[in-house]
């Protein structure tokens, strides 16, 4: 089993749709969690951190479920500009070694 | 403050040649990461430094790869000799603290012919 798994997609949705991605992780000692966004031929950039109580930033909501070992990202009212690859990152163990998922591709169409 | 700086941005070389990639982290950041990204394998952590000391290098593919961080403001990743399968985008990232948000450089696109 891979340490961090994501559905690669692509998720193809119309503007205004709500879309959700999940990311599962295998290391129960994982300590910090993030969602990054990567545009084509660009570097990954932080979208948001994921807190135990869940957190929201505008149209984006992130949740952590430690019992089931997954994190989620919900995007409401999708925009064309949301089209990108979304990567989850899990920092595990005492050394905070980061592991990236392979990413989920989102395509928002008019 | 400038972000993470990487050089060169593009490198084309022939098999067997030595390649050196350079990274300047964000000033004040204590952790530095080297990643490799390919379509086949996604984003892979190669090595991770904290306070200039290598913490984990289990992702370094083989002895042809080496990384150094002689001081807090500079790191290199060297491939010697290079092979076509090393062709990828190599990213450097830094974070203020361990487990914190990582900030990525623009990457070096390496092509080995």
């Amino acid at each position: 089993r891979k340490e961090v798994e994501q559905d690669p997609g692509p998720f193809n949705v119309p503007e205004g749709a709500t879309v959700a991605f999940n990311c599962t992780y295998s290391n129960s000692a994982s300590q910090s969690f993030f969602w990054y966004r990567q545009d084509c031929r660009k570097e990954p950039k932080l979208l948001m951190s994921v807190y135990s109580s869940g957190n929201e930033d505008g149209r984006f909501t992130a949740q952590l479920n430690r019992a089931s070992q997954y994190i989620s990202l919900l995007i409401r009212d999708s925009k064309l500009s949301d089209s990108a690859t979304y990567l989850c990152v899990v920092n595990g163990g005492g050394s905070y070694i980061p592991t990236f998922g392979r990413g989920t591709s989102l395509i928002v169409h008019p | 403050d400038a972000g993470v700086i990487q050089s060169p941005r593009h490198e084309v070389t022939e098999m067997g040649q030595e390649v050196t990639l350079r990274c300047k982290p964000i000033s004040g950041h204590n952790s530095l990461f080297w990643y490799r990204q390919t379509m086949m394998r996604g984003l892979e952590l190669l090595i991770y430094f904290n306070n200039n000391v290598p913490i984990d290098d289990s992702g370094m593919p083989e002895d042809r790869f080496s990384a150094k961080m002689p001081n807090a403001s500079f790191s290199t990743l060297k491939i010697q000799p290079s092979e076509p399968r090393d062709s990828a985008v190599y990213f450097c990232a830094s974070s203020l603290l361990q487990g914190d948000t990582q900030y990525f450089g623009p990457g070096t696109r390496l092509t080995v012919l």
Side-chain angles (χ1 to χ4, degrees), chain A residues 22-59:
Chain A
N22 280 343
C23 170
T24 59
Y25 61 94
S26 59
N27 185 351
S28 59
S30 297
Q31 296 165 303
S32 56
F33 309 86
F34 304 89
W35 283 101
Y36 281 72
R37 171 194 168 126
Q38 186 173 24
D39 293 294
C40 188
R41 301 180 75 83
K42 297 287 189 179
E43 71 272 23
K45 293 184 178 179
L46 178 72
L47 179 66
M48 58 197 303
S49 303
V50 186
Y51 302 123
S52 297
S53 54
N55 48 298
E56 188 173 306
D57 182 2
R59 298 181 293 108

Side-chain angles (χ1 to χ4, degrees), chain A residues 32 34 36 38 41-44 46 49 87 89 91 94-98 100 102, chain B residues 33 35 37 39-43 45 48 56 91 98-102 104-105 109:
Chain A
S32 56
F34 304 89
Y36 281 72
Q38 186 173 24
R41 301 180 75 83
K42 297 287 189 179
E43 71 272 23
L46 178 72
S49 303
L87 303 159
V89 187
N91 288 317
S95 297
Y96 292 94
I97 296 170
F100 276 78
R102 291 291 304 274
Chain B
F33 309 83
Y35 291 91
Q37 188 172 39
M39 288 293 293
M40 289 293 293
R41 301 176 67 89
L43 196 64
L45 177 66
Y48 156 33
D56 185 88
F91 288 107
Q98 291 184 96
D100 206 353
T101 302
Q102 294 178 60
F104 282 75
R109 188 170 296 275

Side-chain angles (χ1 to χ4, degrees), chain B residues 7-8 11 19-23 34 75-79 90 108:
Chain B
S7 64
E11 176 82 28
V19 175
T20 299
L21 311 181
R22 297 172 177 80
C23 175
W34 282 101
S75 177
T76 60
L77 178 68
K78 186 175 293 187
I79 308 172
Y90 290 81
T108 295

Side-chain angles (χ1 to χ4, degrees), chain A:
Chain A
R1 179 183 173 185
K2 294 181 182 176
E3 290 188 45
V4 178
E5 293 198 58
Q6 295 183 251
D7 181 343
F11 285 64
N12 203 321
V13 303
E15 274 186 289
T18 295
V19 62
F21 311 135
N22 280 343
C23 170
T24 59
Y25 61 94
S26 59
N27 185 351
S28 59
S30 297
Q31 296 165 303
S32 56
F33 309 86
F34 304 89
W35 283 101
Y36 281 72
R37 171 194 168 126
Q38 186 173 24
D39 293 294
C40 188
R41 301 180 75 83
K42 297 287 189 179
E43 71 272 23
K45 293 184 178 179
L46 178 72
L47 179 66
M48 58 197 303
S49 303
V50 186
Y51 302 123
S52 297
S53 54
N55 48 298
E56 188 173 306
D57 182 2
R59 298 181 293 108
F60 299 85
T61 301
Q63 299 273 358
L64 167 63
N65 186 317
R66 285 193 182 273
S68 300
Q69 295 183 200
Y70 73 87
I71 62 173
S72 63
L73 177 69
L74 180 77
I75 305 175
R76 291 180 298 279
D77 189 22
S78 299
K79 311 291 185 191
L80 296 177
S81 58
D82 294 334
S83 298
T85 297
Y86 291 83
L87 303 159
C88 66
V89 187
V90 176
N91 288 317
S95 297
Y96 292 94
I97 296 170
T99 302
F100 276 78
R102 291 291 304 274
T104 297
S105 175
L106 173 64
I107 301 169
V108 182
H109 59 81

